[in-house]
Amino acid sequence: MNFISESGRLTYMDQKLVIVESPAKAKTIGKMLGRDYTIKASMGHVRDLPARTFGVDIEHDFVPQYEESKERGKNLSDLKSAAKGASEIYLAPDPDREGEAIAWHLITALAIPPEKANRVTFNSVTKAVVKEGIKHPRQIDMDIVNAQQARRILDRIVGYKLSPFLWKTVKSGLSAGRVQ
């Protein structure tokens, strides 16, 4: 339900927020769900390991040290505002390991209370599938999140430790991450 505040600005009351990864998907899903929903795009990951430091505490169970993405600053601020005023929040990044991790990072970055965090997935973007997904929210699957974190940490350890060796012995600029 929308209303106009005393300042004359349009405000949302009892608005449900859905966060997807891409702006194109947000626009499409917005048309499907209607006026009771605000649809926003995270634009991918909102937190990651630091770019210029190692960011993994090897001495203490390989704990990652995440930081919010500086490139996503304005978007993150917009998402925080939308989350603060939402009655319900549906985290709908892609239904894969990265999407599950993005949803988990959104909970932290946006300070979403656990009782408001609803993970939903869509295997296709059709009105029936999207509405069905919204009807059946679930908790974040921490096993999937931890699998993604393990891969990300492994990439960092391998890449951070081996890349300088490759630069000296093979060619400058080479990367030794798991993917390479």
Side-chain angles (χ1 to χ4, degrees):
M1 169 186 307
N2 300 334
F3 71 95
I4 305 295
S5 70
E6 290 178 24
S7 67
R9 296 178 64 190
L10 182 64
T11 314
Y12 299 100
M13 184 172 157
D14 296 328
Q15 195 71 14
K16 297 170 184 131
L17 173 64
V18 178
I19 304 174
V20 296
E21 282 185 60
S22 79
K25 194 180 286 186
K27 186 175 180 181
T28 302
I29 290 173
K31 291 175 188 174
M32 295 173 182
L33 292 178
R35 295 175 43 176
D36 291 337
Y37 292 85
T38 298
I39 318 300
K40 300 279 185 182
S42 71
M43 311 291 284
H45 284 277
V46 295
R47 294 190 330 150
D48 198 2
L49 297 173
R52 303 217 184 280
T53 60
F54 190 54
V56 178
D57 188 348
I58 293 176
E59 302 297 321
H60 297 96
D61 294 328
F62 298 90
V63 174
Q65 297 153 350
Y66 294 111
E67 59 183 32
E68 290 181 2
S69 170
K70 290 172 183 41
E71 297 84 37
R72 306 263 189 280
K74 186 177 183 305
N75 187 48
L76 200 49
S77 178
D78 183 42
L79 289 171
K80 285 178 185 178
S81 279
K84 195 176 288 185
S87 61
E88 295 176 48
I89 301 171
Y90 296 92
L91 304 166
D94 293 347
D96 57 14
R97 190 175 16 246
E98 292 296 321
E100 202 73 17
I102 289 169
W104 179 71
H105 284 295
L106 283 165
I107 289 172
T108 302
L110 305 180
I112 299 172
E115 65 275 4
K116 275 182 141 181
N118 299 292
R119 175 70 166 119
V120 294
T121 57
F122 319 122
N123 288 319
S124 65
V125 183
T126 64
K127 191 171 189 173
V129 171
V130 169
K131 288 195 172 221
E132 190 65 23
I134 293 291
K135 285 182 191 175
H136 300 287
R138 62 173 172 80
Q139 297 289 309
I140 300 288
D141 187 331
M142 288 308 296
D143 288 339
I144 296 173
V145 171
N146 289 333
Q148 188 276 342
Q149 286 190 96
R151 290 183 76 142
R152 182 69 184 100
I153 290 167
L154 181 60
D155 280 348
R156 178 56 57 101
I157 292 169
V158 171
Y160 216 85
K161 300 291 184 182
L162 285 180
S163 292
F165 172 75
L166 289 176
W167 301 338
K168 290 177 187 173
T169 59
V170 181
K171 182 181 176 189
S172 181
L174 290 177
S175 177
R178 173 192 46 83
V179 174
Q180 288 78 17

